[in-house]
Amino acid sequence: MRIATWNVNSIGARLPRLRAWLESAAPDVLCVQELKCADDAFPREQLAELGYESASYGLGRWNGVAVLSRIGIEDVTRGLVDEPRYEEATEPRAIGATCGGVRVWSVYVPNGREPEHPHYQYKLRWLEALRATVAAETAATDKPFAVLGDFNIAPTDTDVWDISLFADSTHVTEAERKALAVLRDAGLTDVLPRPLKYDHPYTYWDYRALAFPKNRGMRIDLVYADATFGAAVGDAYVDREERKGKGSSDHAPVVVDLEL
DNA sequence: ATGCCGAGTTCGACTCGA
């Protein structure tokens, strides 16, 4: 079984490349983030033509997550346990679904903007709600389980191209990394993908300043898997080819092959 | 060549991203 995650940075703008990638990479399940579209505008039929069912959670121009599957979608859950709101608004950032006997969550963790910004505290509260959701779900089922998506956290200093440039920046702070450690304490492990080129499995490169050609990237799209899911992992890689060329997302897909 | 930011909103300057 092949499961992937990809922040597409607008499913509308990315639809031609998304469809081509689904045909070439042929994942059984794809967790998608940053739809930037409401559910009534979700391109359900265009994905169904390729054999994928969709469960989406989008409210408009920002955020939005989905699970695509060609092996069935059941028990869809939108939002987290005791999920915080930002400026009194609910943001669509998490959707869970069971596909082919595997429980997956597609998540788009808040960015945080700056450590002193209210959005950063929102990010930490949101990560606590994710922990609570993981604890509740893994206690209730023995299905292989994983949270996949854009965590907006670089787990270690080597997960950014130059840590010296990240002083006082979000994505690398102690508190954010502690939130990942808490998820690991809850029984999840970081499935480290292999890079297809260079030394580090970056998943994101800014559109600006030649970041991709210079390989100034970050590993922020993560797969956090429970023991059952983790034990089944045969291969994992970042499909950096998909970051190339015109009309790409600024994130590359992370692909995980399970021996299930 | 991997190439100098892109998307949505609502028609063009703004917000957001990390």
Side-chain angles (χ1 to χ4, degrees):
Chain A
M1 182 185 299
R2 170 165 282 187
I3 300 183
T5 181
W6 191 11
N7 177 325
V8 295
N9 185 18
S10 169
I11 197 165
R14 213 63 58 218
L15 193 57
R17 285 190 69 138
L18 172 60
R19 283 169 51 105
W21 189 78
L22 287 171
E23 294 202 290
S24 61
D28 296 298
V29 179
L30 176 63
C31 294
V32 187
Q33 301 87 36
E34 273 207 89
L35 303 179
K36 293 185 173 178
C37 89
D39 286 332
D40 59 8
F42 189 89
R44 207 164 306 278
E45 291 76 18
Q46 292 94 320
L47 298 169
E49 287 169 4
L50 303 177
Y52 289 88
E53 292 179 82
S54 302
S56 69
Y57 182 26
L59 298 176
R61 64 186 295 200
W62 303 122
N63 314 306
V65 286
V67 176
L68 315 184
S69 173
R70 60 178 191 183
I71 55 173
I73 299 187
E74 300 173 340
D75 299 324
V76 174
T77 306
R78 291 174 175 81
L80 302 175
V81 173
D82 295 329
E83 184 176 284
R85 288 149 52 96
Y86 184 66
E87 294 181 340
E88 299 178 27
T90 296
E91 298 185 326
R93 293 181 175 276
I95 186 170
T98 303
C99 305
V102 177
R103 183 67 175 170
V104 298
W105 279 82
S106 176
V107 302
Y108 179 46
V109 177
N111 172 288
R113 300 183 189 167
E114 299 165 14
E116 304 310 316
H117 196 285
H119 207 258
Y120 178 80
Q121 291 303 322
Y122 167 60
K123 181 178 195 173
L124 297 180
R125 289 198 303 276
W126 198 94
L127 287 161
E128 163 53 24
L130 178 61
R131 183 211 60 78
T133 304
V134 167
E137 290 222 341
T138 54
T141 178
D142 54 0
K143 291 187 177 71
F145 176 96
V147 181
L148 306 94
D150 180 354
F151 280 68
N152 271 317
I153 305 171
T156 72
D157 287 356
T158 62
D159 291 316
V160 298
W161 78 92
D162 182 353
I163 192 62
S164 72
L165 301 175
F166 282 78
D168 303 316
S169 296
T170 58
H171 296 65
V172 300
T173 66
E174 280 295 320
E176 290 164 277
R177 287 175 173 172
K178 181 66 171 24
L180 292 181
V182 166
L183 289 177
R184 292 193 295 273
D185 290 344
L188 304 186
T189 57
D190 183 346
V191 176
L192 187 67
R194 62 187 168 85
L196 293 184
K197 191 177 179 183
Y198 305 123
D199 295 336
H200 300 293
Y202 299 142
T203 65
Y204 162 85
W205 299 261
D206 198 297
Y207 285 123
R208 291 165 287 190
L210 293 169
F212 184 61
K214 293 179 176 176
N215 200 31
R216 293 178 177 173
M218 303 170 72
R219 185 173 79 93
I220 54 174
D221 299 271
L222 308 177
V223 177
Y224 263 55
D226 80 348
T228 313
F229 188 111
V233 174
D235 188 21
Y237 66 93
V238 180
D239 189 357
R240 73 186 302 283
E241 294 298 309
E242 193 49 46
R243 181 61 181 80
K244 295 180 180 179
K246 196 165 179 60
S248 75
S249 171
D250 41 2
H251 296 251
V254 178
V255 179
V256 179
D257 286 321
L258 297 178
E259 289 163 6
L260 285 178

